[in-house]
Amino acid sequence: MSPVDPASAPAQVHSDAVRVLVAEDDESLGAVLARGLREQGYVVDLVPDGETAASYLRFYQYEVAVLDWRMPRLSGLDLVQRLRRAGSVNGSTPVLMLTARDTPADRIAGLDAGADDYLVKPFDFGELLARLRALQRRPRVSQSPRMQIGELEFDPAAREVLIHGQRPALTGTELGILEILMRRSPGVADRRSIAQHVWDNEADAFGSNTIDVHLARLRSKLAGAGVRIETIRGIGYRITPQ
């Protein structure tokens, strides 16, 4: 696209705390956007449709959501309306709408629905980054509370984990697994949800022992945190206080 050229983008974000949701049903465009944003230092969750995006917005906090207008299952327009009505922790998340619709009536409809900005396809990747930075500078109405189980504390915005005031050396993969476990607690996080949330390609983890290996390492690093990670055979995992 001069459309999307990550190589020509400006300086990187240099922060793993800036988390972005990208909802785009065009598989190739979504992959290019996710790769380019990650190369700029963003933490990116890429989803292919509106209903999946709505599910992620229920569980995870984002600095910005990039939503395609026309998506299967739930359009970006309907999703942003639902988001603004919900009053949840993501109710005030800045939304950048991507669309090929470029009439004044379309722009008005998108902004009135609750979108904060509007970018017409095809677009320049540098402009997308500039718009994201502008949205990030806006003050947030609310912040996601820190989660705590036993002596284990997790700040989802800063992606910081503390045990008795100390920071365990967790990898990005281990942080992702721990986050979904804590958000689902005391419920169970199924293996597919973990694979979809943590790995770019869920097939790399789902159906193999990759998740189990990372869980074993995570259990070891959380020793003394007053928590237990249980294996629910045939389903997934659950984290609970000891």
Side-chain angles (χ1 to χ4, degrees):
M1 346 188 207
S2 112
V4 173
D5 181 12
S8 66
Q12 292 187 341
V13 175
H14 294 303
S15 171
D16 64 355
V18 181
R19 189 168 190 171
V20 177
L21 175 67
V22 176
E24 171 59 64
D25 66 323
D26 182 322
E27 185 175 347
S28 59
L29 175 57
V32 170
L33 286 175
R35 185 184 73 245
L37 289 171
R38 288 173 183 137
E39 288 174 354
Q40 294 301 309
Y42 288 92
V43 175
V44 182
D45 288 336
L46 174 64
V47 298
D49 61 75
E51 284 293 354
T52 305
S55 175
Y56 272 60
L57 285 162
R58 283 194 296 271
F59 285 110
Y60 311 111
Q61 183 181 8
Y62 295 96
E63 294 294 321
V64 182
V66 180
L67 308 179
D68 182 36
W69 181 311
R70 302 186 69 174
M71 290 186 290
R73 303 180 65 197
L74 183 70
S75 73
L77 192 69
D78 291 336
L79 175 55
V80 74
Q81 289 176 323
R82 179 189 296 185
L83 185 65
R84 297 309 185 220
R85 289 196 304 263
S88 64
V89 68
N90 274 306
S92 61
T93 299
V95 170
L96 173 61
M97 190 79 75
L98 300 181
T99 181
R101 306 167 69 110
D102 191 27
T103 69
D106 291 328
R107 291 195 294 273
I108 291 169
L111 295 171
D112 281 350
D116 298 273
D117 202 354
Y118 194 101
L119 192 56
V120 177
K121 302 176 183 178
F123 52 85
D124 181 83
F125 187 72
E127 182 180 1
L128 173 70
L129 290 176
R131 290 174 181 268
L132 290 181
R133 289 193 298 270
L135 290 175
Q136 287 170 234
R137 289 194 293 269
R138 297 185 182 182
R140 294 294 298 272
V141 174
S142 62
Q143 295 293 328
S144 176
R146 297 172 72 95
M147 298 180 288
Q148 181 165 0
I149 301 175
E151 299 301 321
L152 176 66
E153 296 181 63
F154 184 27
D155 184 334
R159 290 176 66 78
E160 178 183 76
V161 174
L162 295 176
I163 301 174
H164 298 291
Q166 302 296 313
R167 295 182 179 86
L170 301 185
T171 66
T173 298
E174 290 162 353
L175 277 172
I177 294 173
L178 180 60
E179 180 177 12
I180 190 170
L181 289 175
M182 293 186 73
R183 289 195 181 277
R184 297 287 176 89
S185 182
V188 176
D190 63 274
R191 292 174 62 86
R192 183 174 294 278
S193 294
I194 294 173
Q196 289 175 333
H197 173 61
V198 179
W199 279 268
D200 290 342
N201 184 352
E202 65 179 272
D204 292 341
F206 189 68
S208 71
N209 70 338
T210 301
I211 295 176
D212 306 273
V213 170
H214 285 284
L215 257 297
R217 293 173 182 164
L218 183 59
R219 285 188 180 103
S220 175
K221 293 181 180 182
L222 298 184
V227 298
R228 177 176 63 252
I229 299 178
E230 305 174 72
T231 300
I232 310 301
R233 189 172 298 279
I235 303 176
Y237 305 88
R238 172 170 57 203
I239 188 169
T240 58
Q242 281 184 332

